[in-house]
Structures are given as structure tokens and as C-alpha cells.
Amino acid sequence: MLLSVPNLAFAQEEDTYQISHSLESFSYSEIMPVIQTFGGVIPIGKIGKQASFSEAPEEGRHGLTHNKAYLNFSRNNWTVFLATRYDYSIDFTPDAAQLFFLDRSERPVDKDEYAIYFKAQHIRANGVGFAYDNNFGNFSYKIAASYWDVGYMEDGEVDGTFLVNDDGDTFEVTGEIDYAYFDDAVLDRKNCPRTDPPKAGCHGAWVTDGKGYSLDVFLAYQFSNNWQLAVSIYDLYNKFEFEHLGKTSGQLDTRTEVFNDDGTFDINPSFIGSYPDGAHKLDMSSQINARLDGEWGLPLWSEVYVSDGKTFPSFGIGYDIQNWRIEAGYQLKTNAYIFSVKHPVVHFTLGSETTDLVNAQAIILNFGLNYQF
């Protein structure tokens, strides 16, 4: 979870070695459970088992996840680390969520027109990096640079309409599609070289690898013995590059598809367009978290997390027992309740708006171990 005090807030003794592990996760989705999005962002049919009707089906909804795990090896001011990340940002209409929920659950449609819009950025990668931290009086900073080997990506959008024809027995799916990918999950395009004679479904041979770079910055300022402001900026700069990705660009043109006898439907997209495979670049949204810790009779804290154009403020109280702190809080917008246990050696945080995590729309998780010798 990104709602945590940066490691630089815990001072290290000189000439000591430190091994630490951390897992940070923040996931939020409007309408659909976040657990259901982890299996894949595109196709739209995988966005979840639950959806809701909306009085404004054309208005956008949003979902995001930023998951990172680190294994750090530190001495004095320098750190070398191994890392892994899973990130996505998705925008969609409630109609898209509802229509493909009906498709997955084999239920009939309940109206004549659905506004379909789905846009996604998705990265899975493993990386290595190094960091440097230092302080000047009450001010501390840490700068971390990472190199990423991308294991999977998707980047693009679908924008169209599902329309039931006047006869009530047939339907059409029309619209535009433009996205780059490791796997074509919308049109089931096969990644294989052309042959003579040609093999059905083979339109090209793209390369499923990529690389990326990112820069993270952590800042902390101690106003007094009781008050501290900490700011974490992940992906302050980042760039992911791909030499020869699969790409699809054109129009969906599925006409007069027949409903099944029970009213359910199967979408077999027809496509008019091109496959402009080639180089591609992707920037992920920066994630910013500002946390204010203080004491006014009892420990108090407040945070603001910003990512993908969305803002998530939270606040709470704490209770200190020797070197341990127990915290409870509440996050606005997600309606998540947050519980934390923190110690210089170990810390754990869990937050959600429900105890039923499988169907949660928000999950906040943070776990870390820190050992010095």
C-alpha cells in the first residue's frame, strides 16, 4: 500500500547492513470488484462477475491498481533492490460492465442499446534498482532508480455500441478499436509468423518483451518532535519501450448476429482495419502520497493519495505502546476502513470497505520487514 511512512523515516546507524522486504498495494474500482480485474484488463468480458445498472450509462467509471514488492539490501546511504510490479488503469462505462457481465453469466440483455467504452493501461514487470538516501537536519530524502523487464502489457481502447435490431432477434456491435498488446484478447489474433501456405489466424509475429525505466522520490520533514510530513512519489519519471508489439487499429463491424433461443448472446467480432505492429511507448501515471503525522493529546495522522487523476484522502488516530503503534483510520471516496500495526522492524496495514475482500471495491495492503546487523 502506498499509505505508509517511507523507510527513510527510520534512521539507520552508520556502518550497518540492512535487509528489508516490503509489499505495497492500492486497488480501487468503481462498480466491479478489484479482485476480478487481476486476471486481465482486456477483454472487456473479464472485468468482473458483478456490475450495476446506471442512470447515466455513457458516463465513465474508473479502476486502478498499483502493486509493488521490494527486496532491499542496504549499507549506510546506499540500497540495491529487486522489485516486481503489477499496474493497471482502466476507464469504462457502466454499460460495458453490465453487458459483458450478462455475456459471462449467460443472461439475456434487458435493453436495446449499450454504450461500450473501455480504455486500459496494464503493465507487469520485474526489475532491479538502486537508491540513495540522506538528510540535512530535519529534512530527509531518498531517490530510487529502477530498470524493468516487462512480462506483460496492454495499452489501448474500445469505443462502440451494442444495438438490438428492430426485429428483436438480432444485434449489432459497431465501434472503433485501437490498442497494443502482448496477447490479442479482443479479436483472438494469433501471434505466429506467416507461412506458405498461410495458417489461419496468423497475421504477424510480434515480440513479447519490453523494457522500462522509472524514478521514485521520497521526502520527509520533521517540523518538531511531534509533527512530520512525508511525501512519496512513485514513477515521478517512467518510460516503457517495446520494439515490435502486436497492434490492432480499425472498426468493429459485427452485423445481424442472432440471439440464442434463450435470449443469451455470443459476440464474434468482425473487424475492418489493420495490424500496424511495431514500436510502442507507454508512460504510467505517477502515484503521489503525502502523509502528516503528529500528536495532539494522542497520535493523529492524515494522508492524501493521488493516482491516475483520482484523489483519495484519509485520516485516523493512533496509540503507542513502547516501540509499537496501532492505527485506525478511514479513507474518503473508497469508504475503506484502515487498520495498521507498526514497529521499526515490522509493519502491517490492511484496509477495505468490506470484510468480504473477494467482492471489495477497494483493497489497501502494506507489509514490511526490516532487519539491521
Side-chain angles (χ1 to χ4, degrees), residues 23-43:
L23 169 65
E24 306 170 352
S25 175
F26 181 89
S27 301
Y28 173 67
S29 176
E30 299 173 349
I31 295 181
M32 57 191 179
V34 295
I35 290 293
Q36 303 302 328
T37 66
F38 291 165
V41 177
I42 296 176

Side-chain angles (χ1 to χ4, degrees), residues 60-79:
R61 299 294 188 270
H62 189 73
L64 65 94
T65 273
H66 294 291
N67 297 337
K68 298 179 179 69
Y70 298 91
L71 181 60
N72 305 290
F73 304 89
S74 305
R75 183 169 185 260
N76 296 336
N77 302 99
W78 292 94
T79 299

Side-chain angles (χ1 to χ4, degrees), residues 18 132 176 299 324:
Q18 179 181 6
Y132 177 79
E176 298 182 355
W324 293 86

Side-chain angles (χ1 to χ4, degrees), residues 52-336:
S52 66
F53 293 99
S54 172
E55 296 179 356
E58 73 285 352
E59 292 186 0
R61 299 294 188 270
H62 189 73
L64 65 94
T65 273
H66 294 291
N67 297 337
K68 298 179 179 69
Y70 298 91
L71 181 60
N72 305 290
F73 304 89
S74 305
R75 183 169 185 260
N76 296 336
N77 302 99
W78 292 94
T79 299
V80 177
F81 58 85
L82 303 176
T84 186
R85 64 185 294 167
Y86 180 108
D87 303 85
Y88 68 72
S89 172
I90 53 177
D91 294 285
F92 56 93
T93 57
D95 264 9
Q98 182 63 25
L99 181 65
F100 286 91
F101 161 67
L102 297 175
D103 181 21
R104 282 173 59 98
S105 58
E106 298 183 350
R107 300 183 186 183
V109 297
D110 70 331
K111 60 181 182 178
D112 292 336
E113 184 175 346
Y114 293 82
I116 303 174
Y117 180 75
F118 193 85
K119 181 179 180 180
Q121 286 187 324
H122 182 28
I123 286 284
R124 292 203 307 263
N126 298 318
V128 296
F130 67 92
Y132 177 79
D133 65 84
N134 209 333
N135 63 81
F136 298 96
N138 294 333
F139 175 74
S140 302
Y141 70 90
K142 179 178 179 180
I143 300 174
S146 304
Y147 170 82
W148 300 100
D149 177 44
V150 180
Y152 190 80
M153 71 80 63
E154 297 178 40
D155 181 27
E157 62 183 347
V158 178
D159 188 0
T161 302
F162 181 102
L163 180 67
V164 179
N165 293 323
D166 292 338
D167 59 20
D169 297 325
T170 59
F171 64 91
E172 300 178 357
V173 179
T174 58
E176 298 182 355
I177 180 173
D178 185 8
Y179 85 115
Y181 44 81
F182 273 19
D183 295 320
D184 184 352
V186 175
L187 300 178
D188 293 327
R189 179 188 177 201
K190 300 295 186 293
N191 182 19
C192 50
R194 292 186 177 92
T195 59
D196 188 18
K199 184 184 299 184
C202 291
H203 303 283
W206 59 90
V207 180
T208 56
D209 61 16
K211 60 184 179 181
Y213 312 89
S214 66
L215 183 68
D216 306 327
V217 175
F218 309 91
L219 309 170
Y221 183 73
Q222 191 83 31
F223 291 100
S224 67
N225 291 333
N226 296 328
W227 291 91
Q228 175 184 270
L229 175 66
V231 178
S232 305
I233 308 175
Y234 289 85
D235 291 331
L236 175 64
Y237 170 83
N238 71 96
K239 182 74 68 177
F240 294 91
E241 300 175 341
F242 308 89
E243 293 185 0
H244 194 72
L245 273 185
K247 296 184 179 181
T248 297
S249 181
Q251 294 77 44
L252 297 175
D253 189 24
T254 302
R255 304 282 181 170
T256 60
E257 288 285 310
V258 179
F259 285 104
N260 300 324
D261 292 339
D262 59 0
T264 60
F265 56 95
D266 301 301
I267 298 178
N268 302 301
S270 298
F271 173 70
I272 301 173
S274 62
Y275 302 104
D277 300 345
H280 188 74
K281 293 184 179 180
L282 170 64
D283 299 331
M284 296 299 294
S285 175
S286 299
Q287 308 109 56
I288 303 172
N289 189 82
R291 174 178 173 115
L292 179 65
D293 278 283
E295 187 164 344
W296 194 8
L298 73 166
L300 304 174
W301 61 268
S302 63
E303 291 186 346
V304 176
Y305 173 54
V306 180
S307 179
D308 304 286
K310 305 296 181 181
T311 301
F312 304 88
S314 57
F315 59 91
I317 60 175
Y319 183 73
D320 293 330
I321 306 175
Q322 295 183 351
N323 290 332
W324 293 86
R325 169 172 289 189
I326 299 174
E327 293 182 349
Y330 178 77
Q331 186 174 79
L332 304 174
K333 187 176 178 65
T334 65
N335 297 319

